[in-house]
């Protein structure tokens, strides 16, 4: 008859080591399991970076917070291609350039919120964020008759309490999935390459209204996207209607 007790006593160290290995394997599986990672990630509040779409449509957006040298040039270029886009405006910029705000609206572009003073929202309370956002909304609505429904957080910074504050007033936070990095002063060819290499159906592209080489880069980007069969629309038109979720990457997905 096999002495089971004696066998385990003689091999105690072996079984102890095997037990530790099993514990480590189980912990690794738990931490890296897609279902668990997904569940944890969806608890975060996120802005929309891009949209899951089958059709070839992309959204083009411009942030306007400081200079105004190229706004009319951008309007002319976009008008040449019969394209409407989204401009996210800082309230202080609206105060400085009301004629440009009116010109953008008259040209058919949608004007959305980029905060009142371009403050760091993560350092503000929820009440302060709401007050800041509404202040910018009031300024845009006064000039255009339309109240913004979308916002791009200053510096692209956010956390749960920032998104919660934005959601509390019925607005939607918008990020981007394709960054032109035009604000860095890179050459037009580099801007074009960065955008065209990364764009895909449902992308939200980020430009700036006062970047040095954006007007030079824009026609080639538009022509290439159109040649590939893409339709270029404002951000609000790329968003899904009805029920949706936002996954851990910030992708808007239909339920």
């Amino acid at each position: 008859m096999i002495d089971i007790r004696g066998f385990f006593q003689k091999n105690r160290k072996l079984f102890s080591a095997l037990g530790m290995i099993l514990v480590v394997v189980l912990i690794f599986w738990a931490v890296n399991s897609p279902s668990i990672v997904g569940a944890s990630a969806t608890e975060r509040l996120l802005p929309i970076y891009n949209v899951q779409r089958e059709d070839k449509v992309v959204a083009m957006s411009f942030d306007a917070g400081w200079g105004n040298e190229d706004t009319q040039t951008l309007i002319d270029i976009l008008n040449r291609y019969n394209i409407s886009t989204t401009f996210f405006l800082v309230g202080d910029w609206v105060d400085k350039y009301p004629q440009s705000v009116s010109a953008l609206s008259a040209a058919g572009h949608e004007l959305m919120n980029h905060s009142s003073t371009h403050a760091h929202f993560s350092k503000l309370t929820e009440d302060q964020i709401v007050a800041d956002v509404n202040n910018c909304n009031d300024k845009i609505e006064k000039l255009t008759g339309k109240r913004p429904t979308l916002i791009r957080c200053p510096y692209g910074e956010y956390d749960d309490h920032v998104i919660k504050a934005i959601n509390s007033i019925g607005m939607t936070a918008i990020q981007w999935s394709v960054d032109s990095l035009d604000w860095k002063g890179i050459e037009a060819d580099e801007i074009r390459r960065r955008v065209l290499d990364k764009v895909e159906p449902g992308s939200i592209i980020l430009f700036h209204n006062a970047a040095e080489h954006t007007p030079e880069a824009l026609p080639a980007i538009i022509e290439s996207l159109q040649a590939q069969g893409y339709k270029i629309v404002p951000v609000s038109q790329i968003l899904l209607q009805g029920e949706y979720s936002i996954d851990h990457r910030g992708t808007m997905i239909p339920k």
Side-chain angles (χ1 to χ4, degrees):
M1 182 176 181
I2 299 175
D3 184 359
I4 300 296
R5 183 177 179 182
F7 175 79
F8 278 103
Q9 287 178 341
K10 289 180 181 180
N11 295 277
R12 183 180 300 170
K13 290 184 178 180
L14 173 63
F15 284 105
S16 177
L18 290 173
M20 288 298 297
I21 292 172
L22 179 60
V23 169
V24 170
V25 170
L26 289 173
I27 291 174
F28 180 84
W29 175 85
V31 170
N32 291 277
S33 169
S35 59
I36 294 175
V37 170
S40 174
T42 55
E43 293 176 2
R44 290 187 61 203
L45 298 177
L46 296 173
I48 295 170
Y49 282 74
N50 63 334
V51 182
Q52 180 178 297
R53 296 189 64 129
E54 299 300 326
D55 51 339
K56 298 188 77 170
V57 59
V58 296
M60 190 172 283
S61 66
F62 298 82
D63 287 358
W66 289 276
N68 193 41
E69 302 86 342
D70 298 324
T71 303
Q72 186 58 51
T73 301
L74 294 173
I75 291 174
D76 294 341
I77 292 170
L78 295 168
N79 184 60
R80 189 191 315 159
Y81 293 96
N82 195 29
I83 291 173
S84 296
T85 65
T86 303
F87 282 75
F88 289 93
L89 310 181
V90 172
D92 286 350
W93 191 89
V94 174
D95 290 336
K96 291 180 181 178
Y97 308 110
Q99 295 91 345
S100 291
V101 175
S102 297
L104 284 166
S105 180
H109 302 287
E110 64 178 18
L111 307 183
M112 296 297 178
N113 193 312
H114 194 33
S115 83
S116 185
T117 63
H118 213 270
H120 291 275
F121 276 6
S122 59
K123 297 181 179 180
L124 304 181
T125 66
E126 289 186 23
D127 287 343
Q128 288 172 327
I129 294 169
V130 168
D132 181 287
V133 173
N134 277 326
N135 185 38
C136 183
N137 282 346
D138 290 344
K139 293 178 179 181
I140 295 173
E141 184 177 24
K142 183 178 180 179
L143 288 172
T144 67
K146 298 178 181 179
R147 194 166 186 83
T149 57
L150 307 177
I151 179 171
R152 176 167 285 152
C153 295
Y155 308 100
E157 295 176 354
Y158 63 89
D159 57 23
D160 282 0
H161 100 282
V162 171
I163 303 301
K164 181 180 177 183
I166 291 169
N167 291 346
S168 74
I169 54 175
M171 296 188 71
T172 302
I174 301 295
Q175 203 78 336
W176 60 86
S177 58
V178 179
D179 190 349
S180 68
L181 290 183
D182 58 351
W183 61 273
K184 287 189 171 183
I186 60 178
E187 297 296 326
D189 284 346
E190 178 65 10
I191 294 172
R192 178 182 55 79
R193 184 191 64 78
R194 285 190 57 83
V195 172
L196 296 178
D197 284 354
K198 297 182 179 181
V199 76
E200 60 184 7
S203 291
I204 297 175
I205 308 169
L206 170 64
F207 296 102
H208 294 79
N209 76 305
E212 182 179 4
H213 297 294
T214 299
E216 181 185 351
L218 200 55
I221 292 172
I222 292 172
E223 290 173 11
S224 179
L225 289 174
Q226 291 180 334
Q228 295 177 56
Y230 279 102
K231 181 180 181 181
I232 301 170
V233 300
V235 173
S236 67
Q237 293 185 23
I238 204 173
L239 302 181
L240 301 174
Q241 302 299 313
E243 294 189 11
Y244 67 88
S245 61
I246 301 175
D247 72 7
H248 64 282
R249 300 165 298 179
T251 300
M252 188 183 200
I253 299 174
K255 282 191 175 180

